[in-house]
Amino acid sequence: QVQLVESGGGLVQAGGSLRLSCAASGRTFSSISMGWFRQAPGKEREFVAVISQSGGYTYYADSVKGRFTISRDNGKNTVYLQMNSLKPEDTAVYSCAANYGGILLAVASYRNWGQGTQVTVSS
């Protein structure tokens, strides 16, 4: 099992930037792949980005490609999501999650989830 705690959300104007962090504990962090997901009000949770155990492979949703960057620091047991050029449609609760299989996109593939952090982008 791994426990996950997100931080870094907040209110930002369109075009601005935020960096989310997700701190992990309870299991060897370098053995798990990490994903970021988001859920806007009235919508289903959707995939945002994923990074492999070593950090050598990443994959992004088309809606964030070129604007968001996922990274990890295995020495600090932390995964990050750098979000640039934010848009109002990026407003959502962002959650990090752990999977034990690799570069996976489906919500059901992730076993452990953080509590989420709110990101609000004003126009």
Side-chain angles (χ1 to χ4, degrees), residues 22-86:
C22 171
S25 62
R27 185 184 170 105
T28 304
F29 183 66
S30 59
S31 69
I32 56 178
S33 293
M34 294 296 298
W36 283 98
F37 291 79
R38 66 186 182 186
Q39 187 168 20
K43 295 187 177 181
E44 293 191 354
R45 181 176 282 173
E46 66 174 2
F47 167 80
V48 174
V50 61
I51 189 167
S52 63
Q53 291 92 328
S54 67
Y57 294 95
T58 58
Y59 189 84
Y60 298 90
D62 287 344
S63 58
V64 306
K65 200 172 295 182
R67 300 187 298 122
F68 290 12
T69 302
I70 188 170
S71 62
R72 67 190 295 161
D73 184 338
N74 286 348
K76 295 182 178 181
N77 284 8
T78 302
V79 63
Y80 305 97
L81 186 68
Q82 177 67 44
M83 305 185 295
N84 299 329
S85 302
L86 282 161

Side-chain angles (χ1 to χ4, degrees), residues 33 37 97-113:
S33 293
F37 291 79
N99 86 71
Y100 306 91
I103 300 297
L104 303 176
L105 280 61
V107 171
S109 299
Y110 288 76
R111 188 174 303 177
N112 304 111
W113 293 81

